């Protein structure tokens, strides 16, 4: 029997918790990324028997920068309360997961996850509140005009990658990479931009492969969705549908006489579970973790049904 039973269990990305912490504990404004992250966390905690985070095992490491994502999560009262109450759990250690893969007959290892996840140190999260809108605009353009750039493959030819010496015949090497690089140029993307996109493509692939081989339900971070489109090679995915809806919403706002950010505004409905939580919090941010911890008890019947359904 496998040492792990991941039935009706979920995996969330650390950026989801990070986006919530920035608003609740660091005073950032609440934008669409925060609302999506909060909804993701609430849904996973309510629906699944266990919710894992930190598959890179950074949460307990020493000498973490207080401004890094794992550093902010470890110093977060919100995250530590969720961990203490087992609403979320640190991902199992490498030996346990690899034993599960062997027992389950999987041709996959935790080391392969690390190889893809560590392709780049770039994060799906943005570094300032002002960057959120620009990141969304870039992704809308990539998804609609250049979805091939979101697939997990090399986007630059070997001759001009960092650490390689560029030679005159470099453009004759790596035909597919040249085509992808030229596609990036058509969108005014630099080599550094392409390398950043490439790294996040492979990180999205890493999480998707890890979830597939463990049997966990992956609930990705909002800004990881475009990269997941490429990782699953399906242009009709829910992620693409979501970004098309977002594009339509932005276009409708631009057609108005007054733009968003001036005296005009746009209204986006809040998903049902966060709306229930906000009502119960009675406008108090401090009540959010306590109400969140109570929601799984309220919906334990639904969770039990989903567990039995998945085991059938």
């Amino acid at each position: 029997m496998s040492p792990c039973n991941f039935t009706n269990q979920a995996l969330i990305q650390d950026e989801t918790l990070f986006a919530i912490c920035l608003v609740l504990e660091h005073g950032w404004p609440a934008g669409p990324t925060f609302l999506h992250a909060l909804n993701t966390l609430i849904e996973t905690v309510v629906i699944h028997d266990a919710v894992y985070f930190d598959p890179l095992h950074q949460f307990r490491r020493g000498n973490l920068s207080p401004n890094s994502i794992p550093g902010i999560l470890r110093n977060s009262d919100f995250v530590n309360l969720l961990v203490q109450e087992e609403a979320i759990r640190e991902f199992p250690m490498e030996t346990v997961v690899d034993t599960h893969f062997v027992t389950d007959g999987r041709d996959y290892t935790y080391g392969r996850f690390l190889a893809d996840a560590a392709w780049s140190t770039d994060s799906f999260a943005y570094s300032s509140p002002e960057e959120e809108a620009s990141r969304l605009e870039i992704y809308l353009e990539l998804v609609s005009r250049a979805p091939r750039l979101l697939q997990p493959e090399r986007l630059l030819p070997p001759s001009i990658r960092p650490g390689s010496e560029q030679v005159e015949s470099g453009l004759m090497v790596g035909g597919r990479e040249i085509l992808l690089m030229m596609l990036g140029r058509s969108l005014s993307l630099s080599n550094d931009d392409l390398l950043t996109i490439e790294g996040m493509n492979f990180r999205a692939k890493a999480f998707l492969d890890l979830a597939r081989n463990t049997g966990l339900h992956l609930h990705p971070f909002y800004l990881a969705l475009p990269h997941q489109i490429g990782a699953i090679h399906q242009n009709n995915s829910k992620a693409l549908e979501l970004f098309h809806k977002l594009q339509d919403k932005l276009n409708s706002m631009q057609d108005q006489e007054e733009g968003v950010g001036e005296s005009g505004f746009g209204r986006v409905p809040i998903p049902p579970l966060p709306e229930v939580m906000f009502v119960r919090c009675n406008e108090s941010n401090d009540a959010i973790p306590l109400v969140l911890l109570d929601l799984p008890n309220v919906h334990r019947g639904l969770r039990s049904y989903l567990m039995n359904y998945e085991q059938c």
Side-chain angles (χ1 to χ4, degrees):
M1 181 176 294
S2 173
C4 293
N5 180 7
F6 292 114
T7 303
N8 194 33
Q9 299 187 4
L11 174 64
I12 60 173
Q13 294 170 316
D14 292 1
E15 287 91 343
T16 295
L17 297 171
F18 176 69
I20 297 171
C21 291
L22 289 178
V23 173
L24 297 185
E25 299 177 326
H26 295 267
W28 281 37
T33 304
F34 162 74
L35 290 174
H36 186 276
L38 187 61
N39 183 59
T40 297
L41 178 61
I42 296 172
E43 286 188 354
T44 54
V45 169
V46 167
I47 292 174
H48 300 288
D49 274 1
V51 179
Y52 294 102
F53 77 108
D54 189 36
L56 291 169
H57 301 136
Q58 296 176 316
F59 188 66
R60 300 295 180 185
R61 286 183 186 173
N63 302 320
L64 287 175
S65 167
N67 296 321
S68 66
I69 291 179
I72 287 177
L73 297 188
R74 191 169 70 180
N75 294 323
S76 165
D77 292 337
F78 174 75
V79 172
N80 278 289
L81 178 60
L82 296 183
V83 172
Q84 177 184 328
E85 298 297 325
E86 296 188 339
I88 59 176
R89 305 178 187 184
E90 296 171 59
F91 195 76
M93 297 305 296
E94 176 179 356
T95 53
V96 175
V97 177
D98 275 342
T99 302
H100 169 76
F101 292 144
V102 172
T103 305
D104 208 35
R106 299 281 179 170
D107 183 20
Y108 188 76
T109 65
Y110 179 78
R112 287 175 60 183
F113 163 74
L114 287 180
D116 284 335
W119 194 275
S120 167
T121 58
D122 292 308
S123 167
F124 296 119
Y126 46 88
S127 58
S128 68
E130 296 76 21
E131 191 182 339
E132 180 180 22
S134 61
R135 286 283 292 274
L136 289 172
E137 289 175 359
I138 290 171
Y139 280 136
L140 285 170
E141 189 170 29
L142 281 172
V143 169
S144 59
R145 294 181 53 193
R148 289 179 62 188
L149 293 181
L150 294 169
Q151 295 186 11
E153 55 186 320
R154 293 180 180 270
L155 302 182
L156 288 177
S159 57
I160 62 173
R161 299 181 71 85
S164 302
E165 294 184 4
Q166 184 171 358
V167 294
E168 291 185 6
S169 60
L171 295 183
M172 302 298 293
V173 181
R176 182 170 176 80
E177 289 96 334
I178 290 295
L179 291 176
L180 293 174
M181 183 185 71
M182 297 307 294
L183 180 58
R185 292 287 187 272
S186 70
L187 301 180
S188 300
L189 297 174
S190 67
N191 287 353
D192 288 342
D193 294 332
L194 290 173
L195 287 174
T196 296
I197 293 170
E198 177 185 296
M200 290 192 286
N201 289 344
F202 276 96
R203 177 163 288 203
K205 174 183 180 295
F207 278 86
L208 186 63
D209 288 345
L210 181 64
R212 281 173 171 170
N213 284 282
T214 55
L216 287 166
H217 297 267
L218 176 63
H219 295 262
F221 178 60
Y222 191 41
L223 296 181
L225 287 172
H227 303 281
Q228 188 159 341
I229 293 172
I232 60 179
H233 301 287
Q234 291 179 351
N235 288 340
N236 63 342
S237 68
K238 284 293 183 182
L240 184 59
E241 179 183 336
L242 174 64
F243 271 78
H244 279 163
K245 288 181 179 179
L246 177 60
Q247 186 176 38
D248 292 340
K249 183 67 176 177
L250 291 176
N251 289 339
S252 68
M253 291 177 179
Q254 291 170 359
D255 291 338
Q256 298 173 0
E257 293 184 2
E258 296 178 343
V260 176
E262 299 172 10
S263 57
F265 66 92
R267 179 183 180 276
V268 179
I270 297 175
L273 282 174
E275 187 173 3
V276 169
M277 190 187 71
F278 285 138
V279 170
R280 294 186 179 185
C281 288
N282 196 24
E283 301 183 1
S284 171
N285 285 350
D286 293 337
I288 287 178
L290 299 178
V291 174
L292 176 60
L293 290 172
D294 185 55
L295 283 176
N297 294 325
V298 175
H299 297 281
R300 59 183 177 273
L302 170 63
R303 195 165 55 257
S304 177
Y305 170 82
L306 293 173
M307 167 69 83
N308 294 333
Y309 179 82
E310 189 166 322
Q311 287 179 329
C312 291

